[in-house]
Amino acid sequence: MTVENQLTLPTIEPPPFAPIWPKPNNLSALALQLFLEGKRLDHPTFMSLSGSWRLAAVVNILKKLGWPIAVTDIPAPSDSCAYREIGLYHLPSNYAAMALTMRGGRP
């Protein structure tokens, strides 16, 4: 077996997209609704919309329920740390579209 053959892996299909919807009227449901509307959320934005600073915890719950929430680090310099970054979370649009189709077009 050559090195080239060793590095070639068979294509493995990803698992099907079959997330569990969070129970209504909680922070996870609110965050998911915002993600399904195409919103990108950071902690300050989530706090202004929900009154909670717990976005990372909410995203963790959604991920455990099968939602592929993505995060991008963005610059957010502060007086005490010029190189500070915070997470900007979103649901990739292809998954949002699939989820909305599953729900008949409504979040």
Side-chain angles (χ1 to χ4, degrees), residues 5-90:
N5 290 342
Q6 289 177 346
L7 297 177
T8 303
L9 298 174
T11 302
I12 299 172
E13 293 294 320
F17 178 64
I20 298 168
W21 293 80
K23 293 180 181 176
N25 303 319
N26 63 36
L27 291 173
S28 298
L30 173 61
L32 180 57
Q33 179 180 346
L34 294 168
F35 289 138
L36 289 172
E37 293 171 359
K39 301 227 180 348
R40 292 176 177 260
L41 300 174
D42 58 20
H43 285 84
T45 302
F46 188 66
M47 185 171 175
S48 70
L49 296 171
S50 69
S52 173
W53 186 257
R54 304 277 301 154
L55 179 58
V58 168
V59 165
N60 190 42
I61 290 167
L62 290 173
K63 284 183 175 185
K64 287 180 180 179
L65 293 174
W67 294 95
I69 307 299
V71 62
T72 303
D73 292 331
I74 58 169
S78 67
D79 291 337
S80 61
C81 182
Y83 302 104
R84 183 180 89 147
E85 293 182 339
I86 61 174
L88 182 64
Y89 298 89
H90 73 280

